[in-house]
Amino acid sequence: MARLHLEFPEDQFYFTTQLTVRITDINAGKHLANDSMISMISEARARFLYQFGIEEVSENDTGIIVTDLATTYKREAFARDPLIFEVGLMDLNKYGGDIIFRITKAVGGELVALAKSGFVFYHFSSSRVAPMPEDFRLRFPGVNYIAE
């Protein structure tokens, strides 16, 4: 089976936050569990959106939903390890794009994981994908855009 390979442009990270691995995030292998990493990625994404004034669901009932998630693990993390989550964007299109993550150990800077989360804007009342709001795109002028 071919391994997943994630590679991100250095200049597309716009936000950094720190999260600490809790004892409840540890699995039977005594390291950070996959489901806990996904929860931490979700928290980092929410902090990123909040920092840029982007509501998860806006007044007009439009919000962001995750369409997929790819994660590659490079090394283990353990209970009480402080982790740095760098968050950015790439490959924007008419309806969404990718939120990217680089996760490193705060002490020593070792790479723990890379992740990419696809997203689209979604109108919850009509249950349909919605075009990206212009103000979202304007907040990130340096992000590449893929015309469909």
Side-chain angles (χ1 to χ4, degrees):
M1 179 170 85
R3 298 279 310 177
L4 181 65
H5 177 75
L6 297 177
E7 193 171 316
F8 306 132
E10 283 295 317
D11 63 348
Q12 294 305 296
F13 291 98
Y14 296 94
F15 175 74
T16 301
T17 192
Q18 183 172 306
L19 296 166
T20 301
V21 179
R22 305 168 305 171
I23 194 70
T24 55
D25 295 325
I26 302 304
N27 64 14
K30 299 183 181 163
H31 58 250
L32 177 60
N34 181 60
D35 61 326
S36 293
M37 176 60 88
I38 292 170
S39 293
M40 294 175 91
I41 287 168
S42 294
E43 176 65 23
R45 182 189 72 246
R47 290 180 184 189
F48 165 70
L49 296 172
Y50 180 81
Q51 177 70 29
F52 283 92
I54 300 162
E55 298 175 327
E56 297 266 354
V57 180
S58 68
E59 293 174 0
N60 67 359
D61 212 24
T62 299
I64 291 174
I65 61 170
V66 172
T67 57
D68 54 45
L69 174 67
T71 308
T72 59
Y73 296 95
K74 303 299 183 181
R75 68 180 26 83
E76 296 172 303
F78 302 97
R80 294 178 251 339
D81 278 350
L83 301 178
I84 302 296
F85 286 73
E86 295 172 87
V87 186
L89 292 167
M90 62 186 281
D91 298 342
L92 296 181
N93 62 59
K94 182 178 178 180
Y95 300 105
D98 290 326
I99 300 176
I100 57 175
F101 304 86
R102 180 170 44 211
I103 301 109
T104 56
K105 291 190 176 187
V107 178
E110 296 171 305
L111 182 62
V112 173
L114 295 170
K116 177 177 79 86
S117 176
F119 73 95
V120 294
F121 286 88
Y122 190 79
H123 189 259
F124 290 94
S125 297
S126 66
S127 299
R128 293 185 182 268
V129 172
M132 179 186 298
E134 186 63 24
D135 67 330
F136 181 90
R137 175 113 172 88
L138 292 173
R139 291 171 205 247
F140 307 101
V143 177
N144 68 312
Y145 189 85
I146 300 172
E148 294 179 21

